[in-house]
Amino acid sequence: MKKVKRPPRGTRRRDVPLTEARICAAALRLIDADGVEALTMRKLATALDANPMSLYHHVPNRDALLRGAVRMVGAQFRTVTLEDAPWQERIRLLATDFRTLAHRHPNLMAYSFSQPDFIQPEDPFWAALIATLDVPGVPRSEIRQVAALMCAVVIGVLIAELNGSLHQWSSLDPTAPAAGEDGPPDAGPDEERMFRLVLDTIITGLESRLTADDDGQGADRDGAPEADPWSGEPVFVPRQQSVSSSRWPDPV
Amino acid sequence: MKKVKRPPRGTRRRDVPLTEARICAAALRLIDADGVEALTMRKLATALDANPMSLYHHVPNRDALLRGAVRMVGAQFRTVTLEDAPWQERIRLLATDFRTLAHRHPNLMAYSFSQPDFIQPEDPFWAALIATLDVPGVPRSEIRQVAALMCAVVIGVLIAELNGSLHQWSSLDPTAPAAGEDGPPDAGPDEERMFRLVLDTIITGLESRLTADDDGQGADRDGAPEADPWSGEPVFVPRQQSVSSSRWPDPV
DNA sequence: ACCTGAACACCGTTCAAGT
DNA sequence: ACCTGAACACCGTTCAAGT
């Protein structure tokens, strides 16, 4: 009579005890398979061959579970520093590493990109990015903002790539409406080329901004922020702050 | 006895009939107030003073309701073309218009950014972006990919701004861990400055890429993609495709 | 045609009770 | 200490029945 509680299934998992790491790993598997929104405490429990309520003894709630999965994936990001390469190549390497990680767990990464706090100050990725931007002489007062913007840019491209927008927009011809499926059908091989194109454009823009500032490489670092052209007004932008507040009257 | 079905509440809403536009507008109000995940068919119904099941006669399901709200916001994007301005300024105007719209409905926009299909070929925004990139001579064969990448970049920065990552990363000092709240407390006034910095960097990168190509302005448009430097390999990137497949052995 | 109540199949989470 | 069944307060959605 008691034996019916553990029927002889094909794969037995419950001889190993329930830990937070095992729970998060199983959650990551479910997310990789079916997406974040398909992760359910009850489904996760049956995947672990456990009672749904047992999970709450190791994980406070579903949000913490998701954070644990994100943390588990982020721990896989171990950047080789490659200190002898030029800074442009080091930035490229950091970005492509990021992209590889995003391709490994696209469902989880697409979710975590929209969450705050998924890059922490002690992440080796962040430290490597800061160190790399310090090489060509980005002013110390601006270096964190430049690093933040590079993260935002890379994440934006990765989001658009992961959810298919990049491919869809690239084949969005306003003049010729129906081109058929002439190009590659689904997983375009030129997403990587486009990713490199953004990186190159950003790096080129950084370079020209840096050379415009270049009077003595190591001198005047950490100076007053108002002194260097990084903090000045951009060349082309007019003062248009009042233009955008009077547009689009909300009809709701 | 029948009168108890419609008690004299303070504001009467149900004399006007239930339409899809009214439902989507109410959904947008709820999303603006409490976020996408707080939008519920039942709560929406009570906000409209209607029966929850009545909504299904005008909207097929919750996803379609969200799409309707996104479409309703996207219809507010009417770009002034400003054809006499230089292309750099036109791009800046498009991007800041996009940003203004995102600030108007941050909850909905943060959600829609992660959805595919939220930019359509017939959107005036897309047509204006394509037309603007055509001015300085971006090759026709690459113009859609460049436009797609600019959208992805702007969206990435907006996502990071809306969920607070941009501000958090900017105050993420790996050397001095605890700086206290010295800067502005919450809604940083320099998010706009950072937004302009990305735009300027991208535009500068585009400019230098374009002038490197500049031998005759109108000549050789629409040519073979392999002929121009846009499709060639980037200068700095080494062929490192095999490097990324052997990193991060997945411990799961 | 439009609306509605009841019901179904799910959720996350709490809690008292077991060992 | 760890686990568990029952229960609570929600969801989206279906469906037969009303007007």
Side-chain angles (χ1 to χ4, degrees), chain B residues 129-154:
Chain B
L129 180 56
I130 294 287
T132 303
L133 286 175
D134 192 40
V135 170
V138 176
R140 288 242 160 73
S141 53
E142 309 272 348
I143 200 169
R144 298 192 304 268
Q145 298 191 0
V146 174
L149 287 173
M150 298 217 58
C151 286
V153 164
V154 167

mmCIF file of all heavy atoms in Angstrom, chain B residues 129-154:
data_model
loop_
_atom_site.group_PDB
_atom_site.id
_atom_site.type_symbol
_atom_site.label_atom_id
_atom_site.label_comp_id
_atom_site.label_asym_id
_atom_site.label_seq_id
_atom_site.Cartn_x
_atom_site.Cartn_y
_atom_site.Cartn_z
ATOM 1 N N LEU B 129 12.702 57.045 -40.920
ATOM 2 C CA LEU B 129 14.071 56.623 -40.628
ATOM 3 C C LEU B 129 14.784 56.177 -41.901
ATOM 4 O O LEU B 129 15.938 56.550 -42.152
ATOM 5 C CB LEU B 129 14.055 55.494 -39.598
ATOM 6 C CG LEU B 129 15.405 54.938 -39.171
ATOM 7 C CD1 LEU B 129 16.298 56.026 -38.630
ATOM 8 C CD2 LEU B 129 15.238 53.830 -38.140
ATOM 9 N N ILE B 130 14.097 55.390 -42.724
ATOM 10 C CA ILE B 130 14.699 54.936 -43.983
ATOM 11 C C ILE B 130 15.029 56.141 -44.869
ATOM 12 O O ILE B 130 16.130 56.246 -45.430
ATOM 13 C CB ILE B 130 13.732 53.974 -44.700
ATOM 14 C CG1 ILE B 130 13.554 52.688 -43.887
ATOM 15 C CG2 ILE B 130 14.234 53.656 -46.104
ATOM 16 C CD1 ILE B 130 14.726 51.779 -43.922
ATOM 17 N N ALA B 131 14.071 57.068 -44.975
ATOM 18 C CA ALA B 131 14.304 58.237 -45.827
ATOM 19 C C ALA B 131 15.478 59.053 -45.302
ATOM 20 O O ALA B 131 16.293 59.569 -46.090
ATOM 21 C CB ALA B 131 13.043 59.099 -45.886
ATOM 22 N N THR B 132 15.592 59.168 -43.980
ATOM 23 C CA THR B 132 16.685 59.964 -43.418
ATOM 24 C C THR B 132 18.031 59.313 -43.679
ATOM 25 O O THR B 132 19.005 59.997 -44.015
ATOM 26 C CB THR B 132 16.465 60.136 -41.912
ATOM 27 O OG1 THR B 132 15.192 60.729 -41.699
ATOM 28 C CG2 THR B 132 17.537 61.013 -41.318
ATOM 29 N N LEU B 133 18.102 57.999 -43.545
ATOM 30 C CA LEU B 133 19.381 57.324 -43.773
ATOM 31 C C LEU B 133 19.752 57.323 -45.254
ATOM 32 O O LEU B 133 20.917 57.145 -45.608
ATOM 33 C CB LEU B 133 19.314 55.879 -43.249
ATOM 34 C CG LEU B 133 19.357 55.741 -41.730
ATOM 35 C CD1 LEU B 133 19.157 54.300 -41.323
ATOM 36 C CD2 LEU B 133 20.678 56.260 -41.188
ATOM 37 N N ASP B 134 18.764 57.546 -46.103
ATOM 38 C CA ASP B 134 19.051 57.590 -47.536
ATOM 39 C C ASP B 134 19.755 58.892 -47.917
ATOM 40 O O ASP B 134 20.487 58.938 -48.910
ATOM 41 C CB ASP B 134 17.742 57.442 -48.318
ATOM 42 C CG ASP B 134 18.002 57.192 -49.793
ATOM 43 O OD1 ASP B 134 18.940 56.427 -50.085
ATOM 44 O OD2 ASP B 134 17.268 57.756 -50.622
ATOM 45 N N VAL B 135 19.551 59.935 -47.126
ATOM 46 C CA VAL B 135 20.110 61.254 -47.477
ATOM 47 C C VAL B 135 21.638 61.222 -47.548
ATOM 48 O O VAL B 135 22.210 61.627 -48.564
ATOM 49 C CB VAL B 135 19.617 62.318 -46.475
ATOM 50 C CG1 VAL B 135 20.368 63.613 -46.680
ATOM 51 C CG2 VAL B 135 18.124 62.522 -46.617
ATOM 52 N N PRO B 136 22.336 60.754 -46.517
ATOM 53 C CA PRO B 136 23.804 60.851 -46.598
ATOM 54 C C PRO B 136 24.422 59.779 -47.475
ATOM 55 O O PRO B 136 25.650 59.745 -47.588
ATOM 56 C CB PRO B 136 24.221 60.676 -45.140
ATOM 57 C CG PRO B 136 23.201 59.795 -44.571
ATOM 58 C CD PRO B 136 21.917 60.180 -45.223
ATOM 59 N N GLY B 137 23.633 58.879 -48.045
ATOM 60 C CA GLY B 137 24.191 57.926 -48.972
ATOM 61 C C GLY B 137 24.511 56.565 -48.388
ATOM 62 O O GLY B 137 25.426 55.896 -48.864
ATOM 63 N N VAL B 138 23.782 56.168 -47.367
ATOM 64 C CA VAL B 138 23.930 54.782 -46.913
ATOM 65 C C VAL B 138 23.482 53.874 -48.066
ATOM 66 O O VAL B 138 22.407 54.076 -48.627
ATOM 67 C CB VAL B 138 23.070 54.524 -45.653
ATOM 68 C CG1 VAL B 138 23.145 53.065 -45.256
ATOM 69 C CG2 VAL B 138 23.531 55.407 -44.516
ATOM 70 N N PRO B 139 24.272 52.889 -48.437
ATOM 71 C CA PRO B 139 23.905 52.056 -49.586
ATOM 72 C C PRO B 139 22.524 51.435 -49.416
ATOM 73 O O PRO B 139 22.171 50.963 -48.330
ATOM 74 C CB PRO B 139 25.006 50.991 -49.596
ATOM 75 C CG PRO B 139 26.155 51.584 -48.877
ATOM 76 C CD PRO B 139 25.565 52.514 -47.869
ATOM 77 N N ARG B 140 21.776 51.412 -50.482
ATOM 78 C CA ARG B 140 20.406 50.901 -50.429
ATOM 79 C C ARG B 140 20.365 49.451 -49.970
ATOM 80 O O ARG B 140 19.405 49.005 -49.354
ATOM 81 C CB ARG B 140 19.770 51.024 -51.817
ATOM 82 C CG ARG B 140 19.446 52.462 -52.196
ATOM 83 C CD ARG B 140 17.926 52.632 -52.392
ATOM 84 N NE ARG B 140 17.560 54.037 -52.276
ATOM 85 C CZ ARG B 140 17.835 54.954 -53.216
ATOM 86 N NH1 ARG B 140 18.458 54.610 -54.318
ATOM 87 N NH2 ARG B 140 17.464 56.208 -53.035
ATOM 88 N N SER B 141 21.428 48.727 -50.278
ATOM 89 C CA SER B 141 21.416 47.314 -49.903
ATOM 90 C C SER B 141 21.584 47.137 -48.397
ATOM 91 O O SER B 141 21.259 46.090 -47.855
ATOM 92 C CB SER B 141 22.536 46.574 -50.640
ATOM 93 O OG SER B 141 23.770 47.246 -50.418
ATOM 94 N N GLU B 142 22.082 48.159 -47.711
ATOM 95 C CA GLU B 142 22.346 48.038 -46.284
ATOM 96 C C GLU B 142 21.420 48.912 -45.457
ATOM 97 O O GLU B 142 21.430 48.844 -44.228
ATOM 98 C CB GLU B 142 23.797 48.465 -45.987
ATOM 99 C CG GLU B 142 24.843 47.813 -46.843
ATOM 100 C CD GLU B 142 25.313 46.494 -46.240
ATOM 101 O OE1 GLU B 142 24.981 46.249 -45.076
ATOM 102 O OE2 GLU B 142 25.992 45.731 -46.949
ATOM 103 N N ILE B 143 20.611 49.711 -46.116
ATOM 104 C CA ILE B 143 19.922 50.780 -45.388
ATOM 105 C C ILE B 143 18.936 50.204 -44.373
ATOM 106 O O ILE B 143 18.780 50.736 -43.272
ATOM 107 C CB ILE B 143 19.233 51.730 -46.400
ATOM 108 C CG1 ILE B 143 18.949 53.083 -45.749
ATOM 109 C CG2 ILE B 143 17.969 51.115 -46.961
ATOM 110 C CD1 ILE B 143 18.526 54.141 -46.754
ATOM 111 N N ARG B 144 18.291 49.098 -44.710
ATOM 112 C CA ARG B 144 17.321 48.542 -43.766
ATOM 113 C C ARG B 144 18.014 47.937 -42.559
ATOM 114 O O ARG B 144 17.520 48.021 -41.429
ATOM 115 C CB ARG B 144 16.454 47.507 -44.472
ATOM 116 C CG ARG B 144 15.636 48.090 -45.607
ATOM 117 C CD ARG B 144 14.595 47.109 -46.078
ATOM 118 N NE ARG B 144 15.183 45.848 -46.466
ATOM 119 C CZ ARG B 144 15.569 45.541 -47.705
ATOM 120 N NH1 ARG B 144 15.424 46.424 -48.664
ATOM 121 N NH2 ARG B 144 16.085 44.369 -47.965
ATOM 122 N N GLN B 145 19.170 47.328 -42.800
ATOM 123 C CA GLN B 145 19.891 46.757 -41.662
ATOM 124 C C GLN B 145 20.415 47.861 -40.747
ATOM 125 O O GLN B 145 20.378 47.726 -39.511
ATOM 126 C CB GLN B 145 21.041 45.889 -42.161
ATOM 127 C CG GLN B 145 20.546 44.697 -42.993
ATOM 128 C CD GLN B 145 21.638 43.690 -43.269
ATOM 129 O OE1 GLN B 145 22.777 43.854 -42.850
ATOM 130 N NE2 GLN B 145 21.265 42.625 -43.979
ATOM 131 N N VAL B 146 20.903 48.944 -41.346
ATOM 132 C CA VAL B 146 21.365 50.055 -40.513
ATOM 133 C C VAL B 146 20.200 50.641 -39.723
ATOM 134 O O VAL B 146 20.317 50.930 -38.520
ATOM 135 C CB VAL B 146 22.049 51.127 -41.385
ATOM 136 C CG1 VAL B 146 22.397 52.349 -40.555
ATOM 137 C CG2 VAL B 146 23.297 50.568 -42.034
ATOM 138 N N ALA B 147 19.047 50.783 -40.381
ATOM 139 C CA ALA B 147 17.871 51.301 -39.667
ATOM 140 C C ALA B 147 17.469 50.362 -38.534
ATOM 141 O O ALA B 147 17.153 50.812 -37.421
ATOM 142 C CB ALA B 147 16.717 51.494 -40.651
ATOM 143 N N ALA B 148 17.488 49.070 -38.811
ATOM 144 C CA ALA B 148 17.128 48.103 -37.766
ATOM 145 C C ALA B 148 18.079 48.212 -36.588
ATOM 146 O O ALA B 148 17.654 48.178 -35.417
ATOM 147 C CB ALA B 148 17.153 46.686 -38.342
ATOM 148 N N LEU B 149 19.352 48.386 -36.888
ATOM 149 C CA LEU B 149 20.320 48.476 -35.800
ATOM 150 C C LEU B 149 20.134 49.764 -35.013
ATOM 151 O O LEU B 149 20.274 49.769 -33.783
ATOM 152 C CB LEU B 149 21.738 48.384 -36.363
ATOM 153 C CG LEU B 149 22.121 46.981 -36.836
ATOM 154 C CD1 LEU B 149 23.462 46.999 -37.547
ATOM 155 C CD2 LEU B 149 22.148 46.016 -35.672
ATOM 156 N N MET B 150 19.803 50.853 -35.676
ATOM 157 C CA MET B 150 19.580 52.092 -34.942
ATOM 158 C C MET B 150 18.371 51.955 -34.031
ATOM 159 O O MET B 150 18.384 52.417 -32.884
ATOM 160 C CB MET B 150 19.393 53.247 -35.914
ATOM 161 C CG MET B 150 20.616 53.484 -36.769
ATOM 162 S SD MET B 150 20.905 55.228 -37.074
ATOM 163 C CE MET B 150 21.053 55.863 -35.445
ATOM 164 N N CYS B 151 17.319 51.317 -34.518
ATOM 165 C CA CYS B 151 16.161 51.056 -33.651
ATOM 166 C C CYS B 151 16.581 50.235 -32.440
ATOM 167 O O CYS B 151 16.210 50.540 -31.302
ATOM 168 C CB CYS B 151 15.081 50.317 -34.434
ATOM 169 S SG CYS B 151 14.184 51.331 -35.616
ATOM 170 N N ALA B 152 17.345 49.190 -32.679
ATOM 171 C CA ALA B 152 17.753 48.312 -31.578
ATOM 172 C C ALA B 152 18.590 49.080 -30.564
ATOM 173 O O ALA B 152 18.417 48.908 -29.346
ATOM 174 C CB ALA B 152 18.532 47.123 -32.135
ATOM 175 N N VAL B 153 19.474 49.935 -31.046
ATOM 176 C CA VAL B 153 20.331 50.690 -30.141
ATOM 177 C C VAL B 153 19.495 51.647 -29.285
ATOM 178 O O VAL B 153 19.621 51.694 -28.062
ATOM 179 C CB VAL B 153 21.399 51.458 -30.946
ATOM 180 C CG1 VAL B 153 22.036 52.535 -30.095
ATOM 181 C CG2 VAL B 153 22.446 50.496 -31.478
ATOM 182 N N VAL B 154 18.612 52.394 -29.947
ATOM 183 C CA VAL B 154 17.796 53.352 -29.203
ATOM 184 C C VAL B 154 16.913 52.626 -28.194
ATOM 185 O O VAL B 154 16.776 53.043 -27.032
ATOM 186 C CB VAL B 154 16.957 54.190 -30.191
ATOM 187 C CG1 VAL B 154 15.887 54.966 -29.460
ATOM 188 C CG2 VAL B 154 17.859 55.133 -30.956
#
